[in-house]
Amino acid sequence: HQNFSAGNNENSIEAHLGINGEANLDFLNIPLTIPEMTLPYTTLTTPQVKDYSLWEKTGLKDFLKTTKQSFDFSVKAQYKKNKDKHIIPIPFYAKDFQALSTPNDIFIPAMGNITYDFSFKSGIITLNTNVGLYNQSDIVAYFLTSSSSVTDALQYKLEGTSSLTRKRGLKLATALSLSNKFVEGNHDSTISLTKKNIEASVTTSAEVQIPILRMKFKQELNGNTKSKPTVSSSIELIYDLNSTATGTINHKLNLESLASYFYIESSTKGDIKGSVLSIEYSGTIASEASTYLNSKSTRSSVKLQGASKVDGIWN
């Protein structure tokens, strides 16, 4: 069954499509038989498969419960009209004749608000997506997509917003977030532009949890041109490979510059420990480097340290 509707009036334009029905998966119950075969150009043969049921043997029976699967599908899009108008003046030059009526301006309708909604529902999973673009005092874009399911691995939520502010310069801000049984992450960034300054910041974090790996990651980046152009960055990583190896990595970078000089410094630290075949090991490393450059001289320095240990072998 399906239905479709659309409309257009002085306030909005919209359209909607809906479909619902049933999917018959009885064909998965038909036993499969695959004879023994010899692979081309080889003497290898594949074993015979007899009366193999995809529904029974692959776990679909426990996952789907029934071969009769119902579903609902819906899509809706809407545009809300903006009654404001942008005015573009047009100069008119007439030396040899005089027009009775002359258009002095072109009127262009301002962008309105756009929304989009999508949903899909079945016995296994439900999906929803919402998207919007709004033209108000600020321009804002938004989206959200998520799922719910009888299986935790199929559940997720992804959300994002982005806004453009036009007061006292321009400012673009973006935020993203993701959540799932195995992965979580966030991202935030802003960029500001004024007549006297440019400023930007980015922060990203993520966490991964799967059977063989647990990991946390964080990255920050900042920069501005207030008194002098500067950029700073930091990265932190913590990991655990199923207790076979655990460790951390930290990295920092600073940069500043003027017409008269340039300076950059960076540092990295890391450590690891774990065990293989009941033999424990560990190690550390650290490095520092810096460079200063101007029209008269250049200075650089580098420092590197490291240590390692393996029980019963070296220290």
Side-chain angles (χ1 to χ4, degrees):
H1 176 72
Q2 67 178 30
N3 61 76
F4 174 79
S5 62
N8 181 12
N9 55 48
E10 62 178 359
N11 296 317
S12 65
I13 302 172
E14 59 182 58
H16 175 260
L17 172 65
I19 301 175
N20 58 69
E22 273 196 357
N24 190 336
L25 305 180
D26 283 340
F27 66 92
L28 295 174
N29 261 323
I30 300 174
L32 297 176
T33 298
I34 303 174
E36 182 181 89
M37 292 186 295
T38 301
L39 298 177
Y41 310 108
T42 72
T43 58
L44 301 175
T45 59
T46 61
Q48 182 188 33
V49 177
K50 187 175 181 181
D51 296 332
Y52 185 86
S53 170
L54 291 172
W55 180 254
E56 298 279 349
K57 301 296 184 181
T58 62
L60 289 174
K61 178 181 179 180
D62 299 325
F63 184 59
L64 300 179
K65 307 299 182 185
T66 175
T67 56
K68 301 294 190 295
Q69 294 294 314
S70 61
F71 66 90
D72 288 289
F73 171 87
S74 175
V75 174
K76 181 180 179 181
Q78 184 182 62
Y79 175 74
K80 289 190 175 181
K81 300 176 182 178
N82 191 336
K83 296 184 179 181
D84 294 337
K85 291 180 170 44
H86 298 296
I87 301 175
I88 302 177
I90 299 180
F92 185 82
Y93 301 97
K95 295 182 179 179
D96 300 327
F97 64 92
Q98 182 178 2
L100 295 177
S101 63
T102 304
N104 296 321
D105 302 308
I106 291 179
F107 295 89
I108 300 177
M111 184 185 74
N113 298 332
I114 302 171
T115 57
Y116 169 85
D117 300 292
F118 164 87
S119 69
F120 175 83
K121 297 179 181 179
S122 71
I124 313 168
I125 193 171
T126 298
L127 299 172
N128 289 289
T129 299
N130 309 102
V131 179
L133 180 61
Y134 306 96
N135 181 24
Q136 298 167 348
S137 58
D138 301 334
I139 296 177
V140 178
Y142 170 81
F143 76 88
L144 170 64
T145 176
S146 62
S147 71
S148 59
S149 172
V150 294
T151 303
D152 290 343
L154 297 179
Q155 298 189 52
Y156 75 92
K157 181 180 179 181
L158 176 62
E159 187 173 11
T161 59
S162 184
S163 63
L164 179 64
T165 304
R166 294 166 287 184
K167 295 178 181 178
R168 296 184 298 276
L170 291 176
K171 181 179 180 180
L172 177 65
T174 301
L176 297 170
S177 67
L178 169 66
S179 61
N180 174 260
K181 179 181 179 181
F182 303 116
V183 181
E184 289 189 2
N186 292 279
H187 171 85
D188 293 281
S189 65
T190 59
I191 302 175
S192 301
L193 293 89
T194 64
K195 294 181 179 180
K196 297 181 179 181
N197 182 40
I198 299 175
E199 189 170 358
S201 67
V202 178
T203 302
T204 303
S205 63
E207 186 170 350
V208 177
Q209 291 192 18
I210 56 178
I212 62 170
L213 172 66
R214 294 195 302 272
M215 182 185 72
K216 291 183 179 181
F217 171 84
K218 186 175 182 179
Q219 183 262 344
E220 293 183 355
L221 177 66
N222 296 282
N224 65 74
T225 61
K226 289 181 179 178
S227 58
K228 55 188 174 184
T230 61
V231 175
S232 64
S233 170
S234 67
I235 296 175
E236 180 182 20
L237 175 67
I238 303 173
Y239 62 90
D240 183 345
L241 290 166
N242 202 23
S243 299
T244 301
T246 63
T248 62
I249 299 173
N250 291 277
H251 175 75
K252 293 183 179 181
L253 174 72
N254 292 295
L255 182 150
E256 60 183 55
S257 175
L258 283 175
S260 58
Y261 76 94
F262 173 83
Y263 177 73
I264 183 172
E265 65 175 356
S266 68
S267 65
T268 303
K269 295 180 180 180
D271 64 77
I272 185 173
K273 64 179 181 179
S275 64
V276 177
L277 301 176
S278 299
I279 299 175
E280 294 187 354
Y281 65 91
S282 62
T284 61
I285 188 171
S287 68
E288 297 178 358
S290 64
T291 298
Y292 177 88
L293 174 66
N294 63 22
S295 60
K296 296 181 180 180
S297 65
T298 301
R299 298 194 306 270
S300 295
S301 66
V302 177
K303 182 179 179 181
L304 179 64
Q305 291 179 320
S308 63
K309 177 183 177 181
V310 179
D311 285 354
I313 300 179
W314 76 72
N315 186 355

